[in-house]
Amino acid sequence: MNTHYLTSSRTNPQFYIFSQLLGQDLNWTSELCNWEAIQNVAWEEFWQREGHELLEQKWHKRFPEYKQLIEVVTPEEQELWQELWEKHASDSSAKFWHIFSCAFENYQHDLAKSFGLLEQDLENLSLDTKPRKIKPRKTTESEQEDSYLTANDDPEDIDEEQQLLLLGLPTCFASKAIQKNRKQRKPQVESSSSDSEDSDELFNMENDENRALHGVQSGGIKKNKRRQRQANKLKARMPDFMQEENSKMVKYWFKRFSLFSRFDQGIRLDRESWFSVTPEKIAKQTARRLACDLIVDAFCGCGGNAIQFANTCGRVIAVDIDAEKLAMAKHNAGIYGVAHKIEFVHADFLQFAASTRIRPNVVFLSPPWGGPDYQKQALFDIEKSLLPVGASHLMQISRRLAADVAFFLPRNSDMKQVIALSGAGQQCEVEHNYLDTRMVAMTAYYGRGIIRSQ
Ligand code: ADP
């Protein structure tokens, strides 16, 4: 078993992928004893590759005045900055380790479950050695549901004033730094359009709105009124169906920038698409993996994947049976400036595949999962529950077009069925996609051209 992992983003929510090459001949359970080693290797590789940049990015966001100050500070102050950096590095790496190890632990359980292991067996899989820095916290079911929000809880949001004082910085220096920091941070959050700041702002706003929406008292009356006003404003911007349905729908609205980072520029989604569109970070990663001359996106919906394919592939053919969805996809692709690279085809993919002479390099399949009820199945049966036909049938017709096929599947898909799609003697690569600690979906890759070599 080989496990890769990577994070493709340095912004919240963190995106982790664990992927493995799997074949029908693999005696999967015999490999389980290696989990600790796999985790350590994965973490070390990740931290070596991404750690320093992650720390630097957080540092500059937290102390924007640092760059200007560092040229004028005295050697003593420089020493204090150094201490502050060391504390920042140690706190932040601990926090990253924590999120990573939670995601990794969830991965073990998710993978075991998708192989049909029972709860009893799962208990035996728990890591029995202590993690190196901090103990991974097991997320409960309800925390996992909301983990887009909870895991966004940034390690940097500790009280800076307290931290500077703890480090023994001179009071005048500390207050100057903090005041300047505060002054500089405020306009930055308002004016910046970077992903990371957007999502931080979103997180703060969401937290405030969340508290107001759920009536949690956490401050003076004035504060609550302000929050209530913010919550009302937020509600007014939500689509009608979300306002009418129960408060659970609010969480989909909170995820809007996870779905499309340019959501505010006029992205159009119908009700179904709110639940089924691929989050942008995952779509980006899939597009990087599937970069080629010509790709077919067989069930394109409102365009989340097709837009990202347009950035990595020469040409994209986006097929959907629903003309309205196709129109939304075209509109959304326009917002990302890539509509000219996509050919939108209004067709039933089964008929399209049977009649077309086009021979793409890759076919990408993100067929309907049958609505949110897929989550209720312990093991999602990809032969019986996918629409319009079972996975094997879809694979068969897709392979007529291209040898390389990728499948975007529910997180609880039956892994034995997923592996069986690769055919006798062949392997597939299965990626488990996590946003923070929550598994969102899996992507399975079939065909030599797209699976990573050992
Ligand atoms: P989910 O069940 O995951 O919510 P959707 O209902 O959003 O999935 O379906 C994904 C997309 O597939 C939709 O845009 C839908 O119109 C499209 N679709 C469904 N059947 C076909 C088909 N036979 N050919 C092409 N597109 C299809």
Side-chain angles (χ1 to χ4, degrees):
M1 177 188 298
N2 68 339
T3 301
H4 316 273
Y5 76 89
L6 70 94
T7 170
S8 69
S9 70
R10 301 202 177 96
T11 58
N12 287 330
Q14 278 292 315
F15 177 36
Y16 296 103
I17 297 166
F18 303 99
S19 88
Q20 302 192 32
L21 284 177
L22 298 163
Q24 274 156 308
D25 49 344
L26 181 80
N27 181 8
W28 186 76
T29 48
S30 70
E31 306 282 344
L32 290 174
C33 53
N34 289 333
W35 279 122
E36 192 200 345
I38 293 170
Q39 182 182 27
N40 289 343
V41 170
W43 169 256
E44 259 148 40
E45 277 178 11
F46 159 60
W47 200 244
Q48 260 180 24
R49 195 179 59 223
E50 314 239 354
H52 193 74
E53 268 185 75
L54 278 166
L55 291 180
E56 281 223 323
Q57 188 199 36
K58 296 266 170 203
W59 171 261
H60 289 300
K61 214 174 103 212
R62 197 170 165 197
F63 301 112
E65 76 278 18
Y66 174 76
K67 270 187 192 156
Q68 295 124 43
L69 275 182
I70 201 65
E71 283 159 24
V72 292
V73 291
T74 61
E76 294 82 55
E77 285 171 338
Q78 234 171 52
E79 217 171 278
L80 291 167
W81 274 112
Q82 180 60 32
E83 276 177 41
L84 195 55
W85 164 262
E86 277 159 22
K87 175 144 177 32
H88 162 81
S90 119
D91 288 352
S92 295
S93 56
K95 180 77 185 204
F96 279 113
W97 161 256
H98 178 77
I99 297 175
F100 172 86
S101 56
C102 287
F104 192 83
E105 195 174 322
N106 290 342
Y107 171 56
Q108 293 171 57
H109 285 78
D110 291 334
L111 187 65
K113 262 199 245 166
S114 62
F115 272 101
L117 290 192
L118 304 171
E119 283 301 319
Q120 182 79 46
D121 303 318
L122 293 178
E123 298 235 318
N124 301 333
L125 294 180
S126 301
L127 289 176
D128 52 8
T129 51
K130 281 194 183 130
R132 288 165 300 163
K133 285 195 176 164
I134 56 171
K135 197 167 163 35
R137 186 177 61 98
K138 267 191 192 161
T139 47
T140 64
E141 196 70 15
S142 63
E143 276 177 304
Q144 282 195 28
E145 271 304 303
D146 290 336
S147 67
Y148 275 24
L149 305 182
T150 53
N152 271 345
D153 199 355
D154 201 292
E156 318 312 337
D157 290 341
I158 330 156
D159 186 337
E160 286 165 20
E161 196 157 5
Q162 206 181 4
Q163 197 176 46
L164 288 169
L165 291 171
L166 267 175
L167 287 169
L169 284 166
T171 324
C172 60
F173 173 78
S175 56
K176 220 164 81 187
I178 291 160
Q179 277 164 16
K180 203 164 174 191
N181 188 9
R182 280 187 190 142
K183 265 191 213 154
Q184 288 184 354
R185 285 179 76 147
K186 216 175 170 199
Q188 252 207 355
V189 167
E190 279 158 8
S191 64
S192 168
S193 62
S194 85
D195 242 18
S196 124
E197 276 153 9
D198 270 1
S199 65
D200 282 358
E201 183 190 14
L202 178 70
F203 171 65
N204 293 334
M205 204 172 86
E206 282 170 355
N207 262 349
D208 280 356
E209 287 159 352
N210 227 359
R211 275 181 228 120
L213 283 172
H214 301 294
V216 176
Q217 304 292 315
S218 65
I221 295 170
K222 265 189 188 167
K223 234 181 182 177
N224 277 348
K225 275 191 179 161
R226 188 173 55 84
R227 283 186 180 138
Q228 193 56 51
R229 273 201 305 276
Q230 276 182 339
N232 290 343
K233 250 198 229 165
L234 167 96
K235 271 191 149 180
R237 284 162 61 204
M238 282 162 47
D240 291 347
F241 84 90
M242 281 189 190
Q243 293 187 40
E244 284 156 17
E245 293 181 31
N246 59 37
S247 65
K248 271 195 168 179
M249 299 306 300
V250 175
K251 78 175 182 190
Y252 289 97
W253 179 249
F254 287 160
K255 289 177 193 172
R256 63 199 183 282
F257 295 107
S258 272
L259 303 181
F260 289 94
S261 57
R262 299 192 185 180
F263 185 89
D264 270 356
Q265 294 179 31
I267 290 293
R268 286 189 200 148
L269 295 175
D270 63 356
R271 188 183 186 284
E272 255 180 19
S273 307
W274 274 97
F275 309 120
S276 59
V277 68
T278 312
E280 189 168 292
K281 281 178 183 173
I282 298 178
K284 265 190 186 166
Q285 155 70 6
T286 312
R288 268 195 293 267
R289 289 290 312 267
L290 300 180
C292 63
D293 292 336
L294 177 61
I295 189 164
V296 167
D297 181 355
F299 303 86
C300 77
C302 63
N305 286 105
I307 290 169
Q308 299 306 326
F309 289 141
N311 287 322
T312 62
C313 300
R315 219 173 110 225
V316 183
I317 296 176
V319 182
D320 204 285
I321 203 167
D322 181 335
E324 277 178 32
K325 285 214 171 69
L326 216 55
M328 284 188 286
K330 198 168 183 179
H331 167 86
N332 295 339
I335 289 177
Y336 281 78
V338 293
H340 62 286
K341 289 187 75 181
I342 307 173
E343 194 180 316
F344 295 92
V345 179
H346 179 207
D348 176 340
F349 175 66
L350 305 185
Q351 287 174 9
F352 171 84
S355 59
T356 187
R357 288 194 181 166
I358 293 168
R359 289 294 172 262
N361 307 95
V362 179
V363 175
F364 175 72
L365 302 166
S366 173
W369 300 349
D373 274 0
Y374 77 86
Q375 299 171 57
K376 293 184 185 156
Q377 301 182 33
L379 269 188
F380 182 86
D381 187 328
I382 62 172
E383 297 301 342
K384 288 197 185 131
S385 306
L386 284 182
L387 298 168
V389 292
S392 302
H393 188 167
L394 265 181
M395 177 61 100
Q396 198 188 342
I397 58 168
S398 303
R399 280 239 151 115
R400 268 192 232 138
L401 305 186
D404 295 333
V405 176
F407 242 117
F408 187 64
L409 291 165
R411 59 175 185 259
N412 52 342
S413 296
D414 182 333
M415 190 58 76
K416 287 179 187 149
Q417 292 180 330
V418 173
I419 296 170
L421 287 179
S422 49
Q426 301 297 315
Q427 284 186 316
C428 61
E429 184 183 344
V430 183
E431 268 183 6
H432 285 57
N433 306 306
Y434 287 79
L435 288 180
D436 289 326
T437 57
R438 181 175 184 252
M439 183 177 174
V440 180
M442 62 171 83
T443 316
Y445 300 90
Y446 303 89
R448 287 203 183 138
I450 55 174
I451 64 175
R452 261 190 264 251
S453 53
Q454 294 255 19

